[in-house]
Amino acid sequence: MAWDEWEQLKADALARRQEGMRLDSAAAAGGGGGGTGDSADLKTNKSGKKAAVNSLRDEIRPDTDTAGSHTDESSSATVREFSGWATGSGLKAAHEEWNLQVKSLKGRLGEDQTALEKTHQDFQYLDLGIGGQIVQIDTGHETRREG
């Protein structure tokens, strides 16, 4: 094998390797970007988060409370009717588990609501922090001062 041919094979292999290696978020050759976005900017949907928070606060969490407590009265009455029977103790255990699951779901919904509310604030702090770092970048140009 001639030296020139060897150098060409190495150059071809390097070119194939570089074409195949890119981050998912890096723009592909010919435009476009990784992921689903049309641009490389990080964006947040403020109105969507607000609608989700409002829905959690005004509908989903109250409806979960209503649905969760809906079974309390009838289940308690049924447990009393079957007291002393295996059915009564089984219903009581099932009702206790139901209450634990409802409590867990309500807690999770509350955490989701809090996280969505906090996200807007976090993005504002992030923007301010990055803006502060950008201001500190030395461009190498002297600023002109009037004096």
Side-chain angles (χ1 to χ4, degrees), residues 34-95:
T36 58
D38 291 330
S39 70
D41 292 338
L42 177 61
K43 297 180 182 178
T44 180
N45 183 344
K46 183 178 177 181
S47 61
K49 285 193 302 287
K50 185 175 181 178
V53 167
N54 290 340
S55 182
L56 280 165
R57 183 187 59 236
D58 300 336
E59 296 173 26
I60 297 171
R61 291 180 69 198
D63 289 351
T64 301
D65 284 336
T66 302
S69 63
H70 181 71
T71 61
D72 286 345
E73 191 175 312
S74 60
S75 294
S76 296
T78 306
V79 167
R80 281 192 305 274
E81 289 293 321
F82 286 101
S83 66
W85 294 50
T87 303
S89 61
L91 283 172
K92 182 178 179 183
H95 189 253

